[in-house]
Amino acid sequence: MNKLSQFTIGALLALGTVTAAQAGTLDDVKKKGFVQCGVSAGLAGFSAPDDKGNYSGIDVDVCKAVAAAVFGDATKVKFTPLTAKERFTALQSGEVDLLSRNTTWTLNRDTAQGLSFAGVTYYDGQGFMVRKSLGVKSAKELDGASVCTETGTTTELNLSDYFKSNGLKYTVVALGSNSEAVAAYDSGRCDAYTTDASGLYATRIALAKPDDHMVLPEIISKEPLGPVVRQGDSQWFSVVKWSLFALVAAEEYGVTAANVDEQKASSANPEVKRLLGAEGEFGTPMGLPNDWAYKIVKQIGNYGEMFDRNVGAGSPLKIDRGINARWNKGGLQSAPPFR
Ligand SMILES: N[C@@H](CCC(=O)N[C@@H](CS)C(=O)NCC(=O)O)C(=O)O
């Protein structure tokens, strides 16, 4: 960046112009009547369209939860499919209000890129898949391998760190979309395919012959995936952050889509009453109705229900809860108190 533009941005920040220009997403969203959500173009379990163009997945459900909180209606959301490379520009430029696209929370993205991560939808880590016929049992045996991946991802950077720190040589084949990277791997252009472990599950079942491939045991990184907003809009940041917390808290307190009405009417637990808006004023300070979390759980279910139907036992992926279990069940998913 040259001196002049550094000065201009500094001066605008000092005047509060930049912050002001970025604020007000909640009002904008209310005015237009829907949330514009950036998602992956096709990653089973996270975000994928069906043959009618309807998106589903855990990332999609987070967008819907935000729409339920704002409008009381989870259908008031439109989806913008984005590649890894396109996603941050789409958010920075205002093309989308929210990015919920298997995106890893990193220091650089959370600071230098002008973005704020609102939480973690899914704790992931990067792994490798190879053809069984390659005869490799560990990533450490991949010296000299060609590895397919998607450009503009942490995946590409971790790959470089991992091979360098283990003194291994490799050739990266970085493609513009996941479908291209997978097709390249499936056609034999690469010895290995690497992505977030969840993506390996999603990809493997879509290969021509899934049983010919295996996932190697190493997980080489932390990939906390979560929703992202623009920096400098604390109200919108709170709406997205607490929408995710509401899903997690509902699971902790045993509130489900099926029992939420009954719990709202007659729960003896004060925290559940506050969560569901039966007691206190916990929506208005965020610019939401007080029953915003009730609307989320009624339409989306709680975090556990959302996990199960999209990526867990009730989905084709059958991923274990693992570290995505809630904090009092040995996992990392936790919400601060609703009080
Ligand atoms: N979590 C990593 C990787 C995210 C990523 O974009 N992964 C690819 C490979 S699984 C993907 O989801 N592509 C979906 C698509 O191209 O629609 C990041 O934030 O950089």
Side-chain angles (χ1 to χ4, degrees), residues 40-43 82 84 87 101-104 109 150 152-155 177-178 193 195-196 199 223 225:
S40 154
L43 185 61
L82 297 166
R87 63 186 149 171
R101 189 206 170 280
N102 56 310
T103 294
T104 306
R109 291 171 177 178
E150 181 168 344
T153 55
T154 48
T155 319
S177 72
N178 193 40
Y193 166 73
T195 188
D196 300 337
E223 308 291 328
L225 311 176

Coordinates of all heavy atoms in Angstrom, one line a residue, residues 40-43 82 84 87 101-104 109 150 152-155 177-178 193 195-196 199 223 225, ligand 1:
S40 N -20.6 -22.2 0.5 CA -19.8 -23.0 -0.4 C -20.8 -23.5 -1.6 O -22.0 -23.7 -1.3 CB -19.3 -24.3 0.3 OG -19.1 -25.3 -0.6
A41 N -20.2 -23.6 -2.7 CA -21.0 -24.0 -3.9 C -21.4 -25.5 -3.8 O -22.4 -25.9 -4.4 CB -20.1 -23.8 -5.2
G42 N -20.6 -26.3 -3.1 CA -21.0 -27.7 -3.1 C -20.1 -28.5 -2.2 O -19.0 -29.0 -2.7
L43 N -20.4 -28.6 -0.9 CA -19.7 -29.4 0.0 C -20.7 -30.1 0.9 O -21.3 -29.5 1.8 CB -18.7 -28.5 0.8 CG -17.8 -29.2 1.8 CD1 -16.8 -30.2 1.0 CD2 -17.0 -28.3 2.6
L82 N -19.9 -19.3 -3.2 CA -18.6 -18.6 -3.4 C -17.5 -19.6 -3.4 O -17.5 -20.6 -2.5 CB -18.4 -17.6 -2.2 CG -19.4 -16.4 -2.1 CD1 -19.2 -15.8 -0.8 CD2 -19.1 -15.4 -3.3
A84 N -13.4 -20.5 -2.6 CA -12.5 -20.1 -1.5 C -11.9 -18.7 -1.8 O -11.8 -17.8 -0.9 CB -11.4 -21.1 -1.3
R87 N -14.5 -15.6 -1.5 CA -15.4 -15.4 -0.4 C -15.1 -14.1 0.4 O -16.1 -13.5 0.9 CB -15.3 -16.7 0.6 CG -13.9 -16.9 1.1 CD -13.8 -18.2 1.9 NE -12.5 -18.7 1.8 CZ -12.0 -19.7 2.5 NH1 -12.8 -20.4 3.3 NH2 -10.8 -20.1 2.3
R101 N -19.2 -20.4 5.3 CA -18.7 -21.3 4.3 C -17.4 -22.0 4.7 O -16.3 -21.5 4.4 CB -18.3 -20.4 3.1 CG -18.0 -21.1 1.8 CD -17.1 -20.3 0.9 NE -16.6 -21.1 -0.2 CZ -15.5 -22.0 0.0 NH1 -14.9 -22.1 1.1 NH2 -15.1 -22.7 -1.1
N102 N -17.6 -23.0 5.5 CA -16.4 -23.8 6.0 C -15.1 -23.0 6.0 O -14.1 -23.4 5.4 CB -16.3 -25.1 5.3 CG -16.1 -25.1 3.8 OD1 -16.9 -24.4 3.1 ND2 -15.1 -25.7 3.2
T103 N -15.2 -21.9 6.7 CA -14.1 -20.9 6.7 C -13.3 -20.9 8.0 O -13.9 -20.8 9.1 CB -14.6 -19.5 6.4 OG1 -15.0 -19.6 5.0 CG2 -13.5 -18.5 6.5
T104 N -12.0 -21.1 8.0 CA -11.2 -21.3 9.2 C -10.9 -19.9 9.8 O -10.4 -19.0 9.1 CB -9.9 -22.0 8.8 OG1 -10.2 -23.2 8.2 CG2 -9.1 -22.3 10.1
R109 N -7.0 -13.4 9.0 CA -8.4 -13.1 8.5 C -9.2 -12.3 9.5 O -10.0 -11.4 9.2 CB -9.1 -14.5 8.3 CG -8.5 -15.2 7.1 CD -9.1 -16.6 7.0 NE -8.6 -17.3 5.8 CZ -8.9 -18.6 5.5 NH1 -9.7 -19.3 6.3 NH2 -8.4 -19.1 4.4
E150 N -7.6 -26.9 -3.1 CA -8.2 -25.7 -3.6 C -7.4 -24.5 -3.3 O -6.9 -24.4 -2.2 CB -9.6 -25.6 -3.1 CG -10.4 -24.4 -3.7 CD -11.9 -24.4 -3.4 OE1 -12.5 -25.4 -3.0 OE2 -12.5 -23.3 -3.5
G152 N -6.5 -20.5 -2.4 CA -7.1 -19.5 -1.6 C -7.6 -20.1 -0.2 O -8.4 -19.5 0.4
T153 N -7.0 -21.2 0.2 CA -7.4 -21.8 1.4 C -6.3 -22.0 2.4 O -5.1 -21.9 2.1 CB -7.9 -23.3 1.1 OG1 -6.8 -24.0 0.5 CG2 -9.1 -23.3 0.3
T154 N -6.6 -22.2 3.7 CA -5.6 -22.5 4.7 C -5.0 -23.8 4.3 O -3.8 -24.1 4.7 CB -6.2 -22.6 6.1 OG1 -7.4 -23.4 6.1 CG2 -6.5 -21.2 6.7
T155 N -5.7 -24.7 3.6 CA -5.3 -26.0 3.2 C -3.9 -25.9 2.5 O -3.0 -26.7 2.8 CB -6.3 -26.6 2.3 OG1 -7.6 -26.3 2.8 CG2 -6.1 -28.1 2.2
S177 N -11.7 -24.6 -7.7 CA -12.8 -25.0 -6.9 C -12.6 -26.4 -6.4 O -11.8 -27.1 -6.9 CB -14.1 -24.9 -7.8 OG -14.1 -26.0 -8.7
N178 N -13.4 -26.7 -5.4 CA -13.3 -28.1 -4.9 C -13.6 -29.1 -5.9 O -13.0 -30.2 -6.0 CB -14.2 -28.2 -3.6 CG -13.9 -29.4 -2.8 OD1 -12.7 -29.8 -2.7 ND2 -14.9 -30.1 -2.4
Y193 N -5.2 -36.1 -2.1 CA -6.1 -35.0 -2.1 C -6.1 -34.5 -0.6 O -6.2 -35.4 0.3 CB -7.5 -35.4 -2.5 CG -8.6 -34.4 -2.2 CD1 -8.7 -33.3 -3.0 CD2 -9.5 -34.7 -1.2 CE1 -9.7 -32.3 -2.7 CE2 -10.5 -33.8 -1.0 CZ -10.6 -32.6 -1.7 OH -11.6 -31.7 -1.4
T195 N -7.7 -31.7 2.3 CA -8.7 -30.7 2.7 C -9.0 -30.9 4.2 O -8.5 -31.8 4.8 CB -9.9 -30.6 1.8 OG1 -10.7 -29.5 2.2 CG2 -10.8 -31.8 2.0
D196 N -10.0 -30.1 4.7 CA -10.5 -30.3 6.1 C -11.0 -31.7 6.1 O -11.6 -32.2 5.2 CB -11.6 -29.3 6.4 CG -11.1 -27.9 6.3 OD1 -9.9 -27.6 6.4 OD2 -12.0 -27.0 6.0
G199 N -14.4 -32.4 4.9 CA -14.4 -32.3 3.4 C -14.0 -33.7 2.8 O -14.4 -34.1 1.8
E223 N -8.6 -26.4 12.3 CA -9.5 -25.6 11.4 C -10.8 -25.3 12.1 O -11.8 -26.0 11.9 CB -9.7 -26.4 10.1 CG -8.5 -27.0 9.4 CD -7.6 -25.9 8.8 OE1 -8.2 -24.8 8.3 OE2 -6.4 -26.1 8.7
L225 N -14.0 -23.8 12.0 CA -14.8 -23.2 10.9 C -16.0 -22.5 11.5 O -16.8 -23.0 12.3 CB -15.3 -24.3 10.0 CG -14.3 -25.4 9.5 CD1 -15.0 -26.5 8.7 CD2 -13.2 -24.7 8.7
Ligands
LIG1 N1 -11.3 -24.3 5.9 C1 -10.3 -23.9 4.8 C2 -10.7 -24.6 3.5 C3 -12.0 -24.1 3.0 C4 -12.3 -24.6 1.5 O1 -12.7 -23.7 0.7 N2 -12.2 -25.9 1.2 C5 -12.6 -26.3 -0.1 C6 -12.2 -27.8 -0.2 S1 -13.2 -28.9 0.8 C7 -14.1 -26.1 -0.3 O2 -14.9 -26.2 0.6 N3 -14.6 -26.0 -1.5 C8 -16.0 -25.9 -1.8 C9 -16.3 -25.3 -3.1 O3 -15.4 -25.0 -3.9 O4 -17.5 -25.0 -3.3 C10 -10.3 -22.4 4.7 O5 -11.0 -21.7 5.3 O6 -9.4 -21.9 4.0

